Amino acid sequence: MKQRIGIVGDLYYDISACGLKSLPGWGEDRVVDQMATSLGGSACNTARHCSTILKGKDVEVAFIGAVGDDDIGKISLTTMADDGLLKWAHDGNSPAHICKNSSTGLCIVLSGQHDRAFISSNAANDNFSPAADPEALAVLKSCSHIHIHGYFNCSFLQTPEFLSLVKSLKTTGITFSLDTQFDAEGTWVGKNGLLKDLISEMDMFLPNEIEATNIIKHNSIPITDSNTTDGIHLCKALKASFPSVEVIVKIGEKGCTTPDFSVSPQHSVEVKDTTGAGDGFDAGFLCSWVINRDSSKDLQTRLQSAMTVGNKSGGITVTRLGACNPPLTCDEVGI
């Protein structure tokens, strides 16, 4: 019987300015060597990577999110179908829910060599609720693992109804992971203050250093040294508050860390675009984790293997322009 991974969260169509040397001020302009358009959104990127990495494996991947009923939505659905994502919506004819009278989420990506910035319109991401959609509920119930991505970008992920759904699905044996992404509103607690409650229900939590620092600060989570942003200290603080959750913090070019050990990248890479690096990491990590979930190996060994694949996946992603262009493959990441 095939396993099924569900990736729940955001989808945007990206308009990317690549190679930006500095951000323009009001009334100013900047010229870049290249601009591009591509399907994006942290959850959608991760789902597309997972689908192509696991092609030919005994695992299906479903993206549980939404597009609008516009031309960009149609392009997005075609791309997801071409990447092999499960068609579960609209009587099994679509790999995502189509929100009527809504536009598809759009994101302007300002990408420099070492960092990036975003300007987003959530659109359909705020007009969909899997907890109230029978087709979404059916596919979620069929998953062995569900990854929640882009928490702060999707209002439906921040509701009491979604938290209740997660709790209900956990009783059936489904495992969960979470990557919040950046909070554009700057509150870091969620629209209903439910982020800590959701983290408590997770099996794994995968923030980066900036996200972990802000979540700790704004949710009154104790930390030994409030002046440090060291990944291990952040991990230990989160683990102390959520002892049943495996915490893995992404630390950029240095790799990733748990409270007890770190895994560094095996090779240095030439960085072209950091957009989507975390999504690539998550995809590699999740694919390795799910494939080896029934392994007789101990937890630390399985975590180290997944972190190693995550580092490699994130490293490959930053050598390309765009967050998921093209999606990663099995041969590239070594699964």
Coordinates of all heavy atoms in Angstrom, one line a residue, residues 191-290:
K191 N -3.0 34.5 14.2 CA -4.1 35.4 14.3 C -5.0 35.2 15.5 O -5.6 36.1 16.0 CB -5.0 35.3 13.0 CG -4.3 36.1 11.8 CD -5.3 36.0 10.6 CE -4.8 37.0 9.5 NZ -3.5 36.6 9.0
N192 N -5.0 34.0 16.0 CA -5.8 33.7 17.2 C -4.9 33.3 18.3 O -5.4 32.7 19.3 CB -6.8 32.5 16.8 CG -7.9 33.0 15.9 OD1 -8.8 33.7 16.2 ND2 -7.7 32.6 14.6
G193 N -3.6 33.6 18.3 CA -2.7 33.3 19.3 C -2.6 31.8 19.6 O -2.2 31.3 20.7
L194 N -2.7 31.0 18.5 CA -2.7 29.5 18.7 C -1.4 28.8 18.2 O -1.4 27.6 18.2 CB -3.9 28.9 17.9 CG -5.3 29.3 18.3 CD1 -6.4 28.8 17.4 CD2 -5.5 28.8 19.8
L195 N -0.4 29.6 17.9 CA 0.8 28.9 17.4 C 1.4 27.9 18.4 O 1.8 26.8 18.0 CB 1.9 30.0 17.0 CG 3.2 29.4 16.5 CD1 3.0 28.5 15.3 CD2 4.2 30.5 16.2
K196 N 1.5 28.4 19.6 CA 2.1 27.4 20.6 C 1.3 26.2 20.7 O 1.8 25.1 20.9 CB 2.2 28.1 22.0 CG 3.3 29.2 22.0 CD 3.4 29.9 23.4 CE 3.8 29.0 24.5 NZ 4.0 29.8 25.8
D197 N 0.0 26.3 20.7 CA -0.9 25.1 20.8 C -0.6 24.2 19.6 O -0.6 22.9 19.7 CB -2.4 25.5 20.8 CG -2.7 26.4 22.0 OD1 -2.7 25.8 23.1 OD2 -2.9 27.6 21.9
L198 N -0.4 24.8 18.4 CA -0.2 23.9 17.2 C 1.2 23.3 17.3 O 1.3 22.1 17.0 CB -0.3 24.8 15.9 CG -0.2 24.0 14.6 CD1 -1.4 23.0 14.5 CD2 -0.1 24.9 13.4
I199 N 2.2 24.0 17.7 CA 3.5 23.4 17.8 C 3.5 22.2 18.8 O 4.1 21.2 18.5 CB 4.6 24.4 18.3 CG1 4.7 25.6 17.3 CG2 5.9 23.8 18.6 CD1 5.6 26.7 17.7
S200 N 2.7 22.3 19.8 CA 2.6 21.2 20.8 C 2.1 19.9 20.2 O 2.3 18.9 20.7 CB 1.7 21.7 22.0 OG 2.2 22.8 22.7
E201 N 1.3 20.1 19.1 CA 0.7 18.9 18.5 C 1.6 18.3 17.5 O 1.4 17.2 16.9 CB -0.6 19.2 17.8 CG -1.7 19.7 18.8 CD -2.1 18.7 19.8 OE1 -2.1 17.5 19.5 OE2 -2.4 19.1 20.9
M202 N 2.8 18.9 17.1 CA 3.6 18.5 16.1 C 4.6 17.3 16.5 O 4.9 17.2 17.7 CB 4.5 19.6 15.6 CG 3.7 20.8 14.9 SD 2.8 20.2 13.4 CE 1.1 20.1 14.0
D203 N 5.0 16.5 15.6 CA 6.1 15.6 15.8 C 7.4 16.2 15.5 O 8.4 15.9 16.2 CB 5.9 14.3 14.9 CG 4.6 13.6 15.3 OD1 4.7 12.8 16.2 OD2 3.6 13.8 14.6
M204 N 7.4 17.1 14.5 CA 8.7 17.8 14.2 C 8.4 19.3 13.9 O 7.3 19.6 13.3 CB 9.3 17.2 13.0 CG 9.9 15.8 13.2 SD 10.5 15.0 11.7 CE 8.9 14.6 11.0
F205 N 9.3 20.2 14.3 CA 9.2 21.6 14.0 C 10.5 22.1 13.4 O 11.6 21.8 13.8 CB 9.0 22.3 15.4 CG 8.8 23.8 15.3 CD1 8.1 24.4 14.2 CD2 9.3 24.7 16.2 CE1 7.9 25.7 14.1 CE2 9.2 26.0 16.1 CZ 8.4 26.6 15.1
L206 N 10.4 22.8 12.2 CA 11.5 23.0 11.3 C 11.7 24.5 11.0 O 11.7 24.9 9.8 CB 11.4 22.3 10.0 CG 11.2 20.8 10.1 CD1 10.6 20.2 8.8 CD2 12.6 20.1 10.4
P207 N 11.9 25.4 12.0 CA 12.0 26.8 11.7 C 13.5 27.1 11.3 O 14.4 26.3 11.5 CB 11.7 27.5 13.0 CG 12.2 26.5 14.1 CD 11.9 25.1 13.5
N208 N 13.7 28.3 10.7 CA 15.1 28.8 10.6 C 15.4 29.7 11.8 O 14.6 29.9 12.7 CB 15.3 29.5 9.3 CG 14.5 30.8 9.1 OD1 14.2 31.4 10.1 ND2 14.2 31.2 7.9
E209 N 16.7 30.2 11.8 CA 17.1 30.9 13.0 C 16.3 32.2 13.3 O 15.9 32.5 14.4 CB 18.6 31.3 12.8 CG 19.6 30.2 13.1 CD 21.0 30.7 12.9 OE1 21.4 31.1 11.8 OE2 21.8 30.6 13.9
I210 N 16.0 32.9 12.2 CA 15.2 34.1 12.4 C 13.8 33.8 12.9 O 13.3 34.5 13.8 CB 15.1 34.9 11.0 CG1 16.4 35.4 10.6 CG2 14.1 36.0 11.1 CD1 16.5 36.1 9.3
E211 N 13.2 32.8 12.3 CA 11.8 32.4 12.8 C 11.9 31.9 14.2 O 11.0 32.3 15.0 CB 11.3 31.3 11.8 CG 11.0 31.8 10.4 CD 11.1 30.8 9.4 OE1 11.3 29.6 9.7 OE2 11.0 31.1 8.2
A212 N 12.8 31.1 14.5 CA 12.9 30.5 15.9 C 13.2 31.6 16.9 O 12.5 31.7 18.0 CB 14.1 29.5 16.0
T213 N 14.0 32.6 16.6 CA 14.3 33.7 17.5 C 13.0 34.5 17.8 O 12.8 34.9 18.9 CB 15.4 34.6 16.8 OG1 16.6 33.9 16.7 CG2 15.6 35.8 17.7
N214 N 12.3 34.8 16.7 CA 11.1 35.6 16.9 C 9.9 34.9 17.6 O 9.2 35.4 18.4 CB 10.6 36.1 15.6 CG 11.4 37.4 15.1 OD1 11.2 38.4 15.6 ND2 12.3 37.2 14.1
I215 N 9.8 33.6 17.3 CA 8.8 32.8 18.0 C 9.1 32.7 19.5 O 8.2 32.8 20.3 CB 8.7 31.4 17.3 CG1 8.0 31.5 15.9 CG2 7.9 30.4 18.2 CD1 8.2 30.3 15.1
I216 N 10.4 32.5 19.8 CA 10.8 32.5 21.2 C 10.5 33.8 21.9 O 9.9 33.9 23.0 CB 12.2 32.1 21.3 CG1 12.5 30.6 21.0 CG2 12.8 32.4 22.7 CD1 13.9 30.2 20.8
K217 N 10.8 34.9 21.3 CA 10.7 36.2 21.8 C 9.2 36.6 22.1 O 8.8 37.1 23.1 CB 11.3 37.2 20.9 CG 11.2 38.7 21.4 CD 11.8 39.6 20.4 CE 11.6 41.1 20.8 NZ 12.2 42.0 19.8
H218 N 8.4 36.4 21.1 CA 7.0 36.8 21.1 C 6.0 35.9 21.8 O 4.9 36.3 22.0 CB 6.5 37.2 19.7 CG 7.2 38.3 19.1 ND1 6.8 39.6 19.3 CD2 8.3 38.4 18.3 CE1 7.6 40.4 18.6 NE2 8.5 39.7 18.0
N219 N 6.5 34.7 22.1 CA 5.6 33.7 22.7 C 6.1 33.5 24.2 O 5.7 32.5 24.8 CB 5.6 32.4 22.0 CG 4.8 32.5 20.7 OD1 3.5 32.3 20.7 ND2 5.4 32.8 19.6
S220 N 7.0 34.3 24.7 CA 7.5 34.3 26.1 C 8.1 32.9 26.4 O 7.8 32.3 27.5 CB 6.3 34.6 27.0 OG 5.8 35.9 26.8
I221 N 8.8 32.4 25.5 CA 9.5 31.1 25.7 C 10.9 31.4 26.4 O 11.7 32.1 25.8 CB 9.7 30.3 24.4 CG1 8.3 29.9 23.8 CG2 10.6 29.1 24.6 CD1 8.3 29.3 22.4
P222 N 11.1 30.8 27.5 CA 12.4 31.1 28.2 C 13.6 30.6 27.4 O 13.6 29.6 26.7 CB 12.3 30.3 29.5 CG 10.8 30.0 29.7 CD 10.3 29.9 28.3
I223 N 14.7 31.4 27.4 CA 15.9 31.0 26.8 C 17.1 31.4 27.7 O 17.1 32.4 28.4 CB 16.1 31.7 25.4 CG1 17.3 31.2 24.7 CG2 16.1 33.2 25.5 CD1 17.4 31.6 23.2
T224 N 18.1 30.5 27.7 CA 19.2 30.7 28.7 C 19.9 32.0 28.5 O 20.2 32.8 29.4 CB 20.2 29.5 28.5 OG1 19.5 28.3 28.7 CG2 21.3 29.6 29.6
D225 N 20.2 32.3 27.2 CA 20.9 33.6 26.9 C 20.1 34.3 25.9 O 20.1 34.0 24.7 CB 22.3 33.3 26.4 CG 23.1 34.6 26.1 OD1 22.5 35.7 26.2 OD2 24.3 34.5 25.7
S226 N 19.4 35.4 26.3 CA 18.5 36.1 25.4 C 19.2 36.9 24.3 O 18.6 37.4 23.4 CB 17.6 37.0 26.2 OG 18.4 38.0 26.9
N227 N 20.5 37.0 24.5 CA 21.3 37.8 23.5 C 21.9 36.9 22.4 O 22.5 37.4 21.5 CB 22.5 38.5 24.2 CG 22.0 39.6 25.2 OD1 21.1 40.3 24.8 ND2 22.5 39.6 26.4
T228 N 21.7 35.6 22.4 CA 22.3 34.8 21.4 C 21.2 34.3 20.4 O 20.0 34.2 20.7 CB 22.9 33.5 22.0 OG1 23.5 32.8 21.0 CG2 21.8 32.6 22.7
T229 N 21.6 34.2 19.2 CA 20.8 33.6 18.1 C 21.4 32.3 17.6 O 21.1 31.8 16.6 CB 20.6 34.6 16.9 OG1 21.9 34.9 16.4 CG2 19.8 35.8 17.4
D230 N 22.3 31.7 18.4 CA 22.9 30.5 18.1 C 21.9 29.4 18.0 O 21.0 29.2 18.8 CB 23.9 30.1 19.2 CG 24.6 28.7 19.0 OD1 25.5 28.6 18.1 OD2 24.1 27.8 19.6
G231 N 22.0 28.6 16.9 CA 20.9 27.6 16.6 C 20.7 26.6 17.7 O 19.5 26.3 18.0
I232 N 21.8 26.1 18.4 CA 21.6 25.1 19.4 C 20.9 25.7 20.6 O 20.0 25.1 21.2 CB 23.0 24.5 19.8 CG1 23.5 23.7 18.7 CG2 22.8 23.7 21.1 CD1 24.8 23.0 19.0
H233 N 21.2 27.0 21.0 CA 20.5 27.6 22.1 C 19.0 27.8 21.8 O 18.1 27.6 22.6 CB 21.1 29.0 22.4 CG 22.4 28.9 23.2 ND1 23.6 28.7 22.6 CD2 22.6 29.0 24.6 CE1 24.5 28.7 23.6 NE2 24.0 28.8 24.7
L234 N 18.7 28.1 20.6 CA 17.3 28.3 20.1 C 16.6 26.9 20.2 O 15.5 26.8 20.7 CB 17.3 28.8 18.7 CG 17.9 30.2 18.5 CD1 17.9 30.6 17.0 CD2 17.1 31.3 19.3
C235 N 17.3 25.9 19.7 CA 16.7 24.5 19.7 C 16.4 24.1 21.2 O 15.3 23.6 21.5 CB 17.7 23.5 19.1 SG 17.4 23.2 17.4
K236 N 17.4 24.3 22.1 CA 17.2 23.9 23.5 C 16.0 24.7 24.1 O 15.2 24.1 24.9 CB 18.5 24.1 24.2 CG 19.6 23.2 23.9 CD 20.8 23.4 24.7 CE 21.9 22.4 24.4 NZ 23.1 22.6 25.1
A237 N 15.9 25.9 23.8 CA 14.7 26.7 24.4 C 13.4 26.2 23.9 O 12.5 26.0 24.6 CB 14.9 28.2 24.0
L238 N 13.3 25.9 22.6 CA 12.1 25.4 22.0 C 11.8 24.0 22.5 O 10.7 23.6 22.8 CB 12.2 25.4 20.5 CG 12.1 26.7 19.8 CD1 12.5 26.7 18.3 CD2 10.7 27.4 19.9
K239 N 12.8 23.1 22.6 CA 12.6 21.8 23.1 C 12.2 21.7 24.5 O 11.4 20.9 24.9 CB 14.0 21.0 22.9 CG 13.9 19.5 23.3 CD 13.0 18.7 22.4 CE 13.1 17.2 22.7 NZ 12.3 16.4 21.8
A240 N 12.7 22.7 25.3 CA 12.3 22.7 26.7 C 10.8 23.1 26.9 O 10.1 22.6 27.8 CB 13.1 23.8 27.5
S241 N 10.3 23.9 26.0 CA 8.9 24.3 26.0 C 8.0 23.3 25.3 O 6.8 23.1 25.6 CB 8.7 25.6 25.3 OG 9.2 26.7 26.1
F242 N 8.6 22.5 24.3 CA 7.8 21.5 23.6 C 8.6 20.2 23.6 O 9.1 19.7 22.6 CB 7.6 22.0 22.2 CG 7.0 23.3 22.0 CD1 7.8 24.4 21.7 CD2 5.6 23.6 22.3 CE1 7.2 25.7 21.6 CE2 5.1 24.8 22.2 CZ 5.9 25.9 21.8
P243 N 8.6 19.5 24.8 CA 9.5 18.3 25.0 C 9.1 17.1 24.1 O 10.0 16.3 23.8 CB 9.3 18.0 26.5 CG 8.0 18.7 26.9 CD 7.9 19.9 26.0
S244 N 7.9 17.0 23.6 CA 7.5 15.9 22.8 C 7.8 16.1 21.3 O 7.6 15.2 20.5 CB 6.1 15.6 23.0 OG 5.2 16.6 22.5
V245 N 8.3 17.3 21.0 CA 8.5 17.7 19.6 C 10.0 17.6 19.2 O 10.8 18.1 20.0 CB 8.0 19.1 19.3 CG1 8.2 19.5 17.8 CG2 6.5 19.3 19.7
E246 N 10.3 17.0 18.1 CA 11.7 17.0 17.6 C 11.9 18.4 16.9 O 11.2 18.7 15.9 CB 11.9 15.9 16.6 CG 11.8 14.5 17.1 CD 12.8 14.3 18.3 OE1 13.9 14.8 18.3 OE2 12.4 13.5 19.2
V247 N 12.9 19.2 17.4 CA 13.1 20.5 16.9 C 14.4 20.5 16.1 O 15.4 20.1 16.6 CB 13.2 21.6 18.0 CG1 13.5 23.0 17.5 CG2 12.0 21.5 18.9
I248 N 14.3 21.0 14.8 CA 15.4 21.1 13.9 C 15.4 22.5 13.4 O 14.5 22.9 12.7 CB 15.3 20.1 12.7 CG1 15.3 18.6 13.2 CG2 16.5 20.3 11.8 CD1 13.9 18.1 13.3
V249 N 16.5 23.3 13.7 CA 16.6 24.7 13.3 C 17.6 24.7 12.1 O 18.7 24.2 12.2 CB 17.0 25.6 14.4 CG1 17.3 27.0 13.9 CG2 16.0 25.6 15.5
K250 N 17.1 25.4 11.0 CA 18.0 25.6 9.9 C 18.8 26.8 10.1 O 18.4 27.9 10.5 CB 17.1 25.8 8.6 CG 16.3 24.5 8.2 CD 15.2 24.8 7.2 CE 14.0 25.4 7.9 NZ 12.8 25.4 7.0
I251 N 20.1 26.6 9.8 CA 21.1 27.7 10.1 C 21.9 28.1 8.9 O 23.1 28.3 8.9 CB 22.0 27.3 11.3 CG1 22.6 25.9 11.1 CG2 21.3 27.4 12.6 CD1 23.6 25.5 12.2
G252 N 21.2 28.1 7.7 CA 21.8 28.7 6.5 C 22.9 27.8 6.0 O 22.9 26.6 6.0
E253 N 24.0 28.5 5.6 CA 25.1 27.8 5.0 C 25.8 26.9 6.0 O 26.6 26.0 5.6 CB 26.2 28.8 4.5 CG 26.8 29.7 5.5 CD 27.7 30.7 4.9 OE1 27.7 30.9 3.7 OE2 28.4 31.4 5.7
K254 N 25.5 27.0 7.3 CA 26.1 26.1 8.3 C 25.3 24.8 8.5 O 25.7 23.9 9.2 CB 26.2 26.8 9.7 CG 27.2 28.0 9.7 CD 27.2 28.7 11.0 CE 25.9 29.5 11.3 NZ 26.0 30.3 12.5
G255 N 24.2 24.7 7.8 CA 23.4 23.4 7.9 C 22.2 23.5 8.8 O 21.4 24.4 8.6
C256 N 22.2 22.6 9.7 CA 21.0 22.6 10.6 C 21.4 21.9 11.9 O 22.5 21.3 12.0 CB 19.8 21.8 10.0 SG 20.3 20.1 9.5
T257 N 20.5 22.1 13.0 CA 20.9 21.6 14.3 C 19.7 21.2 15.1 O 18.6 21.7 14.9 CB 21.7 22.7 15.1 OG1 22.2 22.1 16.3 CG2 20.8 23.9 15.4
T258 N 19.9 20.2 15.9 CA 18.9 19.8 17.0 C 19.5 20.4 18.3 O 20.6 20.9 18.3 CB 18.8 18.3 17.1 OG1 20.0 17.7 17.6 CG2 18.5 17.7 15.7
P259 N 18.8 20.2 19.4 CA 19.4 20.6 20.7 C 20.6 19.8 21.0 O 21.5 20.3 21.8 CB 18.3 20.3 21.7 CG 17.0 20.2 20.9 CD 17.4 19.7 19.6
D260 N 20.8 18.7 20.4 CA 21.9 17.8 20.8 C 23.1 17.7 19.8 O 24.2 17.3 20.2 CB 21.4 16.4 21.2 CG 20.3 16.4 22.2 OD1 20.6 17.1 23.3 OD2 19.2 15.8 22.0
F261 N 22.8 17.9 18.6 CA 23.8 17.7 17.6 C 23.5 18.5 16.3 O 22.3 18.9 16.1 CB 24.0 16.2 17.2 CG 22.8 15.6 16.6 CD1 22.6 15.6 15.2 CD2 21.9 14.9 17.4 CE1 21.5 15.0 14.6 CE2 20.8 14.4 16.8 CZ 20.5 14.4 15.4
S262 N 24.5 18.8 15.5 CA 24.4 19.6 14.3 C 24.9 18.8 13.1 O 25.7 17.9 13.3 CB 25.2 20.9 14.4 OG 24.8 21.7 15.4
V263 N 24.3 19.1 12.0 CA 24.8 18.4 10.7 C 25.2 19.5 9.7 O 24.3 20.4 9.4 CB 23.7 17.5 10.1 CG1 24.2 16.9 8.8 CG2 23.3 16.4 11.1
S264 N 26.4 19.6 9.3 CA 26.9 20.6 8.4 C 26.8 20.1 7.0 O 26.8 18.8 6.7 CB 28.4 20.9 8.7 OG 28.5 21.4 10.0
P265 N 26.7 21.0 6.0 CA 26.6 20.5 4.6 C 27.9 19.8 4.2 O 29.0 20.2 4.7 CB 26.5 21.9 3.8 CG 25.9 22.8 4.8 CD 26.4 22.4 6.1
Q266 N 27.8 18.8 3.4 CA 29.0 18.1 3.0 C 29.9 18.8 1.9 O 31.1 18.5 1.8 CB 28.6 16.7 2.4 CG 27.9 15.8 3.5 CD 27.4 14.5 2.9 OE1 27.1 14.4 1.8 NE2 27.4 13.5 3.8
H267 N 29.3 19.7 1.2 CA 30.0 20.4 0.2 C 29.5 21.9 0.2 O 28.4 22.2 0.4 CB 29.7 19.8 -1.2 CG 30.0 18.4 -1.3 ND1 31.2 17.9 -1.4 CD2 29.1 17.3 -1.3 CE1 31.2 16.5 -1.5 NE2 29.9 16.2 -1.4
S268 N 30.4 22.8 -0.2 CA 30.1 24.2 -0.4 C 29.6 24.4 -1.8 O 29.9 23.6 -2.7 CB 31.3 25.1 -0.2 OG 32.3 24.8 -1.1
V269 N 28.7 25.4 -2.0 CA 28.1 25.6 -3.3 C 28.2 27.0 -3.7 O 28.4 27.9 -2.9 CB 26.6 25.1 -3.3 CG1 26.4 23.7 -3.0 CG2 25.8 26.0 -2.3
E270 N 28.1 27.3 -5.0 CA 28.0 28.6 -5.5 C 26.6 29.1 -5.5 O 25.7 28.6 -6.2 CB 28.6 28.7 -6.9 CG 28.6 30.1 -7.5 CD 29.1 30.2 -8.9 OE1 29.6 29.1 -9.4 OE2 29.0 31.3 -9.6
V271 N 26.3 30.1 -4.6 CA 25.0 30.6 -4.4 C 24.6 31.6 -5.5 O 25.2 32.6 -5.8 CB 24.8 31.3 -3.1 CG1 23.4 31.9 -2.9 CG2 25.2 30.4 -1.9
K272 N 23.4 31.2 -6.2 CA 22.8 32.1 -7.2 C 21.6 32.8 -6.7 O 21.3 34.0 -7.0 CB 22.5 31.4 -8.5 CG 23.7 30.9 -9.2 CD 23.3 30.2 -10.5 CE 24.5 29.8 -11.4 NZ 24.1 29.1 -12.6
D273 N 20.8 32.1 -5.8 CA 19.5 32.7 -5.4 C 19.1 31.9 -4.1 O 18.9 30.7 -4.2 CB 18.5 32.5 -6.5 CG 17.1 33.2 -6.1 OD1 17.0 33.7 -5.0 OD2 16.2 33.1 -7.0
T274 N 19.0 32.6 -3.0 CA 18.6 31.9 -1.7 C 17.1 31.7 -1.6 O 16.7 31.0 -0.6 CB 19.1 32.7 -0.5 OG1 18.5 34.0 -0.6 CG2 20.6 32.8 -0.5
T275 N 16.3 32.2 -2.5 CA 14.9 32.0 -2.4 C 14.5 30.5 -2.5 O 14.9 29.8 -3.3 CB 14.2 32.7 -3.6 OG1 14.6 34.0 -3.7 CG2 12.7 32.6 -3.4
G276 N 13.7 30.1 -1.5 CA 13.3 28.7 -1.5 C 14.3 27.7 -0.9 O 14.0 26.5 -0.9
A277 N 15.4 28.2 -0.3 CA 16.4 27.3 0.3 C 15.7 26.4 1.4 O 16.0 25.2 1.5 CB 17.5 28.0 0.8
G278 N 14.9 27.0 2.3 CA 14.3 26.3 3.3 C 13.3 25.3 2.8 O 13.1 24.2 3.4
D279 N 12.6 25.6 1.8 CA 11.6 24.7 1.2 C 12.3 23.5 0.6 O 11.8 22.4 0.8 CB 10.8 25.4 0.1 CG 10.2 26.7 0.5 OD1 9.9 26.9 1.7 OD2 9.9 27.6 -0.4
G280 N 13.4 23.7 -0.1 CA 14.2 22.6 -0.5 C 14.7 21.7 0.6 O 14.7 20.5 0.5
F281 N 15.2 22.4 1.7 CA 15.6 21.6 2.8 C 14.5 20.7 3.4 O 14.6 19.5 3.6 CB 16.1 22.5 3.9 CG 16.5 21.8 5.2 CD1 17.8 21.4 5.5 CD2 15.5 21.5 6.2 CE1 18.1 20.7 6.6 CE2 15.8 20.8 7.3 CZ 17.1 20.4 7.6
D282 N 13.3 21.4 3.6 CA 12.2 20.6 4.1 C 11.8 19.4 3.3 O 11.5 18.3 3.8 CB 11.0 21.6 4.2 CG 11.1 22.6 5.4 OD1 12.1 22.6 6.1 OD2 10.1 23.3 5.6
A283 N 11.8 19.6 1.9 CA 11.5 18.5 1.0 C 12.4 17.4 1.2 O 12.0 16.2 1.3 CB 11.4 19.0 -0.4
G284 N 13.7 17.6 1.1 CA 14.7 16.6 1.3 C 14.6 15.9 2.6 O 14.6 14.6 2.7
F285 N 14.4 16.7 3.7 CA 14.3 16.1 5.0 C 13.1 15.2 5.1 O 13.2 14.1 5.6 CB 14.2 17.3 6.0 CG 14.0 16.8 7.5 CD1 15.1 16.7 8.3 CD2 12.7 16.5 8.0 CE1 14.9 16.3 9.6 CE2 12.6 16.0 9.3 CZ 13.7 15.9 10.1
L286 N 11.9 15.7 4.6 CA 10.7 14.9 4.7 C 10.7 13.7 3.9 O 10.3 12.6 4.4 CB 9.5 15.8 4.3 CG 9.1 17.0 5.2 CD1 8.1 17.9 4.5 CD2 8.5 16.5 6.5
C287 N 11.3 13.7 2.7 CA 11.3 12.5 1.9 C 12.2 11.4 2.6 O 11.8 10.3 2.6 CB 11.9 12.9 0.5 SG 10.8 13.8 -0.5
S288 N 13.3 11.8 3.1 CA 14.2 10.9 3.8 C 13.5 10.3 5.0 O 13.5 9.1 5.3 CB 15.5 11.5 4.2 OG 16.3 10.7 5.0
W289 N 12.8 11.2 5.8 CA 12.2 10.8 7.0 C 11.0 9.8 6.8 O 10.9 8.8 7.4 CB 11.7 12.0 7.7 CG 11.0 11.7 9.1 CD1 9.7 11.6 9.3 CD2 11.7 11.4 10.3 NE1 9.5 11.2 10.6 CE2 10.7 11.1 11.3 CE3 13.1 11.4 10.7 CZ2 11.0 10.8 12.6 CZ3 13.4 11.1 12.0 CH2 12.4 10.8 12.9
V290 N 10.2 10.1 5.8 CA 9.1 9.3 5.5 C 9.5 7.9 4.9 O 8.9 6.9 5.3 CB 8.1 10.0 4.5 CG1 7.0 9.0 4.0 CG2 7.4 11.2 5.2

